[in-house]
């Protein structure tokens, strides 16, 4: 059991990467609080996760929501060792067709809410604890139409290093997991039907050296490592889980002679 007796708070734990991480954490002995806005998927997640899970309904872009989520976690489990700042939204914000409200919603969710959740949890995190941020390959890839999303995730990459410095005196580690394209419900933002989703996946897969999207559990396993004491000397850095998208782009199917 790699997380025996640890207590974790996972934002956006009712879906995709957050839910897969909650499952891995519970399997490894942790007690886990999850947040999300949607009560139905929160209830379904807790049913799946079992008695060592607590669901907290919270929109983390609202003032006081993070403080309530942290307080509910402490009230139920008594402490906090691990914080996974996973909640996030996609956003299509091309130049020429983007309102200020759309742009700011992405930043508010993916960046500002992350900082204020860390701030809310900070007084309660135990020495030796672990904070994990959720970045994206958008941090560096320059994918068109994604200015707000890329800026939010670039901000996560920068903030990761600042937070690692700030928390180092308390022995709390801070790291960023950087997923590439991963099969989760977030892709519904760009594809209304299953056929559209399939097409989108096929296009994206051609740019991934390993030839396919990641699964949520692939990211969860990296988060599990960062959360565990196996990573006790790892802070201020990133683990990229992207099938080679950033590190070995020339190996992607799209560049192979036969394709
Ligand atoms: P999902 O859509 O499955 O999960 C997103 C989660 O965030 C949901 O649980 C959602 O819950 C929660 N959430 C969104 N907005 C808020 C809010 N305002 N307050 C509280 N919770 C919120 O997508 P993923 O699992 O893919 O995304 C998880 C993270 O991974 C995101 O940060 C995303 O940017 C990142 N990522 C994903 C990649 C991918 O290809 N899937 C690639 C790179 C990074 P609810 O709707 O109930 O609020």
């Amino acid at each position: 059991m790699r997380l025996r007796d640890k207590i974790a708070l996972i934002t956006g734990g009712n879906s995709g990467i957050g839910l897969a991480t909650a499952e891995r954490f519970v399997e490894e002995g942790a007690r886990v609080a999850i947040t999300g806005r949607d009560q139905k998927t929160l209830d379904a997640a807790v049913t799946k996760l079992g008695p060592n899970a607590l669901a907290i309904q919270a929109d983390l872009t609202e003032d006081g929501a993070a403080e309530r989520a942290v307080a509910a976690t402490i009230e139920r489990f008594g402490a906090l060792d691990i914080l996974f700042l996973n909640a996030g939204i996609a956003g299509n914000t091309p130049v020429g067709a983007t309102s200020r409200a759309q742009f700011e919603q992405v930043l508010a969710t993916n960046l500002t809410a992350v900082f204020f959740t860390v701030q809310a949890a900070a007084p309660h995190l135990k020495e030796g604890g672990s904070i994990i941020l959720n970045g994206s390959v958008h941090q560096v890839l320059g994918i068109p139409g994604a200015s707000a999303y890329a800026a939010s995730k670039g901000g996560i990459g920068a903030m990761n290093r600042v937070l690692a410095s700030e928390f180092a005196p308390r022995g709390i580690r801070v790291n960023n997991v950087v997923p590439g394209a991963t099969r989760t419900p977030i892709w519904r933002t760009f594809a209304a039907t299953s056929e559209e989703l399939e097409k989108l996946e096929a296009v994206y897969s051609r740019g991934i050296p390993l030839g396919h999207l990641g699964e949520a559990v692939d990211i969860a396993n990296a988060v599990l490592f960062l959360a565990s004491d196996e990573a006790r000397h790892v802070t201020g850095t990133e683990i990229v889980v992207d099938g080679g998208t950033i590190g070995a782009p020339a190996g992607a199917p799209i560049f192979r002679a036969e394709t």
Side-chain angles (χ1 to χ4, degrees), residues 13-258:
N14 52 343
S15 178
I17 293 168
L19 179 55
T21 305
E23 286 183 85
R24 290 295 288 119
F25 279 16
V26 167
E27 279 165 19
E28 294 293 342
R31 283 171 287 162
V32 178
I34 58 169
T35 75
R37 292 165 300 178
D38 180 50
Q39 191 64 52
K40 241 170 95 176
T41 45
L42 281 168
D43 291 344
V46 161
T47 303
K48 196 169 180 189
L49 292 166
N52 286 326
L54 165 73
I56 305 158
Q57 201 269 334
D59 180 341
L60 296 170
T61 62
E62 289 175 357
D63 281 344
E67 285 76 5
R68 274 195 297 105
V70 170
T73 308
I74 301 295
E75 191 184 325
R76 168 75 177 268
F77 296 131
L80 191 57
D81 302 281
I82 300 159
L83 181 61
F84 181 30
L85 289 309
N86 163 77
I89 54 171
N92 192 31
T93 57
V95 174
T98 299
S99 69
R100 185 174 286 271
Q102 284 169 326
F103 196 93
E104 285 181 348
Q105 183 63 23
V106 175
L107 288 176
T109 308
N110 294 2
L111 186 59
T112 310
V114 169
F115 175 80
F116 285 101
T117 305
V118 170
Q119 182 164 278
H124 305 280
L125 275 163
K126 280 205 228 154
E127 194 179 320
S130 173
I131 298 173
I132 301 113
L133 310 182
N134 195 338
S136 166
V137 291
H138 278 267
Q139 284 176 225
V140 294
L141 286 185
I143 296 169
S147 283
Y149 187 79
S152 73
K153 295 302 187 176
I156 289 293
M159 199 161 74
N160 175 49
R161 294 184 283 273
V162 175
L163 294 176
S165 297
E166 286 197 34
F167 280 94
R170 292 175 55 193
I172 294 169
R173 299 175 296 100
V174 187
N175 293 287
N176 185 20
V177 69
V178 179
T182 306
R183 196 177 287 120
T184 73
I186 209 170
W187 287 86
R188 287 283 178 196
T189 314
F190 306 107
T193 64
S194 304
E195 292 75 50
E196 278 176 36
L197 200 60
E198 232 169 84
K199 267 194 208 152
L200 197 66
E201 241 193 80
V203 170
Y204 266 83
S205 296
R206 285 172 55 74
I208 301 170
L210 291 185
H212 53 84
L213 268 66
E215 300 294 341
V217 71
D218 297 323
I219 315 303
N221 284 330
V223 177
L224 172 61
F225 167 70
L226 290 170
S228 76
D229 292 339
E230 292 161 26
R232 67 186 186 184
H233 205 51
V234 181
T235 195
T237 194
E238 299 183 337
I239 295 187
V240 179
V241 187
D242 69 347
T245 304
I246 292 178
I254 201 165
F255 293 118
R256 290 180 204 152
E258 72 272 19

